[in-house]
């Protein structure tokens, strides 16, 4: 529509969309968290030897002489910090000598000669007692310690005697103290500098061209003997206690990864960032305001620098002090901002709608509508979805954002309208006051409050009256008719949609559908004075809507009037009859039964009479209602009057009828019970007869079945036993044949084994004899004689074991002629003597000699 203002950015105007980031410009602000200071060995003199170490952090280089670097691997930042090893000692003897040396202005300070002389006098005068009393033993691992003329003197371990009266012992000291590395004894200090320690002191006087009086010097690892006339303020620190330590005027700073340090150079006033790398050694004469900060937050400060880490989903910004421009810091980087150049940074979480510095940031998604007022001309600029906008607060007011979740969306002065199916939409036009309807469902209407006002959106098919601009709209449903009043005249309209002028009065539609009203519990007294109630249903509907519209009341009042008139008519009809006509009981049927009718015939006749009575009452009531509607011009028609039930309301009569009914029922029950017992006895008799016949037939069938089963069992057992005997005979036959075969094979095998054994033994003995004969045929003469002697010895052993009784002819013969008889090369007496020597071995000769000796006795 031409009358609707379509607002968009002015052509040529600076784009309102979020600006692209200039990463080249932001490169200068990038934080150098990845910087690691590393030592690089170089040759500055060109002689091919390493003489310096360069430490570069990307901003400034520091050159350190190689020997100084090797002394501790410290980053000195171009400072001059001397090391003094002139008082260092290499062993215990040198330590004692340097400790015991007292000089002032190149002059030795000697001990008292008077004390020495007096000591020697006392030693001679006391006959050595003075000497023994001044004697002390210093254990290993300790230094002896005594004071001579106010001078502290050390001695090595061993036995030492102080003769001079000006000398006196004090407590011995350990050679190396593991706890106290800085020990002071009078004017002297023993300084132990272990590994991973740093020590220093203020030096008194200069010791060269480059040295200065009262400067702080460092001591190398080892032991140093320092005189207070040359050094003061001696201190030592362990390098692993913390990240930051103080040694005199020096600060030892360890900057680990994840940390940043910073210092101010006193001479230039420039702040310097210290990056991770070798430890820094900072002299307070050169650097001040030493800081050490852990990088555990997104925003933190080190001196005048502010470090900002912008993560994904975040955005940051800061004002540039040079020109006041606001600098956007995009995500994905860390920035380093100096306080002299930038104000304090702002870090926020990025959302759809947020403000950062002077900028409004707005992301318009699909399904959303946004806009903003431009300050210079007040024009409302519509922001298209699918983009992110960056709006300066100097040019724009705060943008507006709404979600398009309905057909009517209001944003700023604009109303965005889409026509929903089944609705009516319209608004008043400002310049002529005309009410304009918007009907095209395919078009989006953009309505500016300067051109349209009073937008109305209503449901088209609503059964209630709705104001739609200068009109009224209503939809009359089926089953109703509408009633419109135009200039005092009632106009009845059929079902449908109606849009009329606002001066037409629209009343509630009149229902023309069928009504079914239930009239419950209409109490009345019968002609014979019994209290009863009737329940009735009436069916009626409107047939003349014009008469209903002019009825003096509402439709609900009309409906109540119809129900009241119908109830009154029904009561008048029912009061003309007795209780027995309207609600007959069994007692009321007695006259019919006495006339000779059966119960069923009496009941049928009573039901026919009651039905005719109900029809008569209903038709009479229906005719009376038609007369009332016609006379009162109610505009309705009663189609049917239906009597549902009659109910007795008199409790006494109900109790009496109930007792009569109970008595009659009791008599009927007794009669029915007698008839039941007769029929039951007859049935039981027939059942017993049939049961006896069935039992006899069953017994006969069971006997026949048992006989047949027994015959079958006997035949089966005979066949089974015959088959089992045949199988057992076959098994026994096979078993005997197998046993005989096994026994036969066993005897054959035993005989063969014995024959083989005999053959093997015979063959072995034969081979043995053959071998023995072959060996004997090659026997030397000496071995032959020796063999003969062995046989003789065996013979004597057998004789000695014989059970001889003295006197014996053979034994006597041996005693008498033993020296004259010879057996081989020896006589019998010699043989017996030799056998006696072997008596302990238990041979036969010893036993034989014992027997001979016994015979001599």
């Amino acid at each position: 529509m031409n009358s609707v203002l379509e607002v968009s950015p002015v052509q040529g105007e600076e784009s309102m969309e979020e600006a692209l980031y200039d990463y080249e410009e932001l490169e200068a602000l990038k934080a150098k968290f990845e910087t690691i200071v590393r030592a690089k060995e170089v040759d500055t003199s060109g002689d091919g030897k390493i003489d310096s170490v360069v430490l570069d952090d990307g901003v400034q280089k520091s050159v350190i002489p190689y020997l100084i670097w090797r002394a501790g691997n410290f980053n000195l930042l171009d400072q001059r910090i001397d090391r003094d090893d002139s008082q260092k000692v290499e062993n215990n003897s040198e330590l004692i000598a340097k400790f015991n040396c007292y000089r002032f202005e190149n002059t030795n300070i000697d001990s008292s000669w008077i004390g020495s002389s007096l000591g020697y006098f006392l030693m001679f005068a006391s006959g050595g007692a003075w000497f023994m009393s001044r004697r002390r033993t210093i254990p290993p691992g300790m230094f002896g310690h005594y004071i001579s003329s106010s001078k502290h003197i050390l001695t090595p371990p061993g036995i030492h005697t102080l003769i001079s009266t000006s000398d006196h012992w004090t407590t011995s000291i350990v050679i190396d103290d593991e706890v106290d590395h800085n020990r002071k004894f009078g004017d002297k200090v023993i300084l132990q500098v272990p590994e991973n320690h740093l020590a220093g002191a203020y030096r008194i006087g200069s010791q060269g061209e480059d040295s200065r009086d009262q400067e702080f010097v460092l001591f190398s690892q080892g032991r140093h003997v320092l005189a207070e006339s040359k050094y003061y303020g001696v201190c030592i620190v362990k390098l692993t206690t913390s990240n930051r330590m103080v040694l005199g005027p020096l600060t030892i700073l360890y900057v680990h990864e994840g940390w940043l340090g910073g210092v101010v150079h006193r001479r230039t006033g420039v702040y310097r960032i210290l990056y991770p790398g070798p430890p820094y050694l900072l002299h307070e004469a050169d650097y001040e305001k030493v800081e050490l900060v852990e990088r555990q937050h997104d925003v933190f400060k080190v001196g005048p620098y502010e470090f900002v880490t912008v993560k994904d989903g975040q955005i940051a910004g800061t004002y540039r002090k040079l020109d006041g421009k606001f600098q956007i810091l995009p995500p994905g980087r860390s920035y380093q901002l100096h306080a002299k150049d930038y104000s304090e940074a702002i870090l926020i979480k990025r959302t759809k709608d947020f403000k950062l510095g002077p900028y409004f940031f707005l992301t318009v998604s699909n399904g959303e509508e946004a806009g903003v007022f431009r300050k210079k001309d007040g024009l409302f600029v519509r922001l298209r979805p699918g983009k992110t906008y960056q709006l300066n607060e100097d040019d724009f007011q705060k943008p507006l954002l709404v979600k398009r979740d309905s057909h009517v969306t209001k944003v700023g002065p604009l109303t965005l309208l889409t026509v929903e199916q089944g609705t009516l939409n319209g608004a008043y036009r400002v310049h002529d006051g005309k009410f304009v309807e918007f009907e095209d469902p395919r078009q989006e209407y953009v309505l500016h409050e300067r051109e349209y006002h009073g937008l109305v959106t209503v449901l088209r098919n609503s059964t209630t009256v709705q104001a739609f601009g200068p009109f009224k709209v209503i939809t009359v449903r089926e089953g109703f008719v509408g009633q419109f009043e135009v200039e005092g005249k009632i106009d009845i309209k059929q079902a449908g949609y109606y849009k009329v002028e606002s001066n037409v009065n629209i009343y509630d539609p009149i229902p023309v559908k069928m009504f079914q009203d239930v009239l419950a519990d209409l109490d009345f007294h019968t002609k014979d004075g019994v209290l009863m109630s009737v329940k009735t249903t009436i069916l009626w509907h409107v047939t003349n809507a014009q008469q209903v519209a002019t009825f003096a009341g509402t439709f609900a009042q009309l409906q109540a009037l119809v129900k009241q008139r119908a109830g009154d008519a029904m009561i008048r009809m029912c009061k003309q009859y007795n209780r027995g006509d309207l609600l007959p009981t069994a007692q009321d049927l007695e006259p019919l039964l006495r006339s000779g009718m059966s119960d069923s015939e009496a009941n049928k006749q009573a039901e026919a009479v009651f039905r005719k009575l109900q029809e008569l009452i209903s038709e009479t009531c229906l005719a009376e209602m038609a007369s009332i509607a016609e006379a009162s011009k109610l505009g309705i028609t009663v189609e049917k009057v239906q009597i549902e039930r009659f109910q007795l309301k008199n409790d006494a009569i109900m109790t009496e009828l109930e007792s009569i009914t109970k008595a009659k029922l009791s008599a009927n029950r007794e009669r029915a019970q007698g008839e039941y017992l007769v029929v039951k006895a007859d049935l039981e008799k027939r059942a017993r007869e049939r049961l006896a016949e069935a039992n006899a037939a069953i017994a006969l069938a069971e006997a026949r079945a048992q006989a047949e089963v027994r015959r079958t069992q006997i035949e089966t057992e005979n066949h089974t036993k015959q088959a089992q005997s045949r199988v057992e005979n076959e098994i026994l036959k096979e078993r005997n044949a197998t046993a005989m075969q096994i026994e036969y094979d066993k005897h054959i095998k035993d005989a063969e084994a014995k024959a083989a054994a005999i053959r093997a033994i015979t063959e072995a003995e034969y081979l043995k004899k053959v071998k023995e004969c072959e060996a004997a045929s090659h026997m030397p003469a000496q071995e032959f004689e020796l063999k003969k002697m062995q046989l003789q010895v065996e013979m004597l052993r057998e004789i000695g074991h014989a059970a001889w009784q003295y006197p014996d002819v053979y034994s006597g013969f041996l005693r008498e002629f033993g020296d004259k008889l010879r057996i081989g090369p020896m006589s019998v007496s010699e043989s017996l003597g030799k056998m006696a020597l072997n008596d302990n071995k238990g041979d036969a000769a010893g036993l034989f000699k014992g027997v001979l000796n016994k015979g001599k006795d």
Side-chain angles (χ1 to χ4, degrees), residues 261-276:
V263 291
V264 176
H265 198 282
R266 282 183 175 273
R267 295 183 179 85
T268 61
V270 177
Y271 196 88
R272 181 171 179 178
I273 297 295
L274 305 180
Y275 294 99

Side-chain angles (χ1 to χ4, degrees), residues 122-123 126-134:
L122 292 175
M123 182 179 64
S126 62
W130 173 260
F131 180 84
M132 296 303 297
S133 65
R134 308 284 284 179

Side-chain angles (χ1 to χ4, degrees), residues 807-819:
D808 185 88
V809 179
Y810 188 68
S811 298
F813 174 75
L814 291 176
R815 285 195 303 271
E816 185 176 355
F817 300 103
D819 55 345

Side-chain angles (χ1 to χ4, degrees), residues 171-345:
T171 305
S172 301
I173 63 174
V174 296
I175 294 178
D176 289 313
D177 195 332
E178 297 180 0
V179 178
D180 187 6
H181 300 300
N182 183 9
R183 294 180 288 175
K184 184 175 182 300
F185 305 96
D187 178 62
K188 296 298 180 69
V189 174
I190 298 178
L191 179 65
Q192 298 173 220
V193 185
E195 285 186 333
N196 207 32
H197 285 67
L198 189 65
Y202 289 96
R203 186 168 56 191
I204 301 175
S206 60
Q207 296 184 3
E209 295 181 358
D210 296 334
S211 64
R212 294 167 294 175
D213 187 15
Q214 303 297 318
E215 71 174 341
F216 192 83
V217 295
L218 299 177
F219 300 110
S220 301
Q221 178 180 328
R223 292 184 295 178
H224 303 261
V225 179
L226 309 175
E228 279 197 341
S229 60
K230 296 182 179 180
Y231 301 92
Y232 70 93
V234 180
C235 51
I236 184 172
V237 65
K238 190 174 182 179
L239 297 180
T240 58
T241 55
S242 67
N243 293 342
R244 178 175 178 174
M245 293 155 283
V246 176
L247 180 69
L250 302 180
T251 298
I252 305 163
L253 192 67
Y254 282 86
V255 182
H256 301 296
E257 287 188 314
W259 294 71
L260 282 181
V263 291
V264 176
H265 198 282
R266 282 183 175 273
R267 295 183 179 85
T268 61
V270 177
Y271 196 88
R272 181 171 179 178
I273 297 295
L274 305 180
Y275 294 99
Y280 295 89
L281 199 59
L282 308 171
H283 201 294
E284 64 182 14
D286 299 318
Y287 293 98
E288 62 180 350
K289 297 181 180 180
V290 180
E291 292 185 72
L292 184 63
V293 179
E294 186 177 5
R295 292 195 296 112
Q296 58 181 352
H297 300 292
D298 294 338
V299 180
F300 64 94
K301 291 185 178 182
V302 180
Y305 286 97
E306 183 179 25
F307 292 88
V308 183
T309 299
V310 186
K311 301 177 181 177
D312 286 340
Q314 295 178 334
I315 191 170
T318 179
Y319 284 98
R320 194 160 54 195
K321 293 184 177 181
L322 178 63
D323 52 8
K325 183 179 178 182
F326 191 79
Q327 178 68 56
I328 301 293
L329 304 177
R333 289 191 176 191
S334 295
Y335 301 92
Q336 176 178 329
L337 309 174
H338 201 290
K340 68 180 178 65
D341 299 323
Y342 295 92
S343 63
E344 187 173 351

Side-chain angles (χ1 to χ4, degrees), residues 42-166:
V42 296
D43 175 18
T44 58
S45 61
D47 57 357
K49 296 181 180 180
I50 297 174
D51 54 16
S52 301
V53 172
V54 176
L55 301 175
D56 187 6
D57 59 5
V59 178
Q60 187 175 352
K61 293 182 180 181
S62 178
V63 181
I64 304 174
Y66 188 71
L67 295 179
I68 297 178
W69 167 258
R70 294 281 295 176
N73 293 352
F74 289 107
N75 191 342
L76 301 180
L77 298 182
D78 293 330
Q79 302 171 95
R80 177 181 174 276
I81 301 176
D82 286 349
R83 287 186 176 269
D84 187 350
D85 292 339
S86 61
Q87 308 302 318
K88 185 176 180 181
V89 297
E90 300 298 335
N91 50 55
N92 292 334
S93 299
E94 189 176 348
L95 186 148
I96 293 174
K98 188 173 287 292
F99 187 92
N100 295 341
C101 178
Y102 288 87
R103 294 176 61 84
F104 182 76
E105 297 296 337
N106 297 325
T107 302
N108 289 330
I109 301 175
D110 299 326
S111 299
S112 173
W113 62 271
I114 297 176
S116 298
S117 301
L118 184 59
Y120 280 107
F121 172 76
L122 292 175
M123 182 179 64
F124 289 113
S126 62
W130 173 260
F131 180 84
M132 296 303 297
S133 65
R134 308 284 284 179
R135 187 171 178 269
R136 175 171 291 189
T137 301
I138 308 302
M142 305 289 287
F143 282 140
H145 181 202
Y146 68 92
I147 299 176
S148 175
S149 301
S150 299
K151 298 182 301 180
H152 289 260
I153 306 297
L154 297 181
T155 64
I159 300 174
H160 301 277
T161 303
L162 303 181
I163 297 177
S164 175
T165 57
S166 61

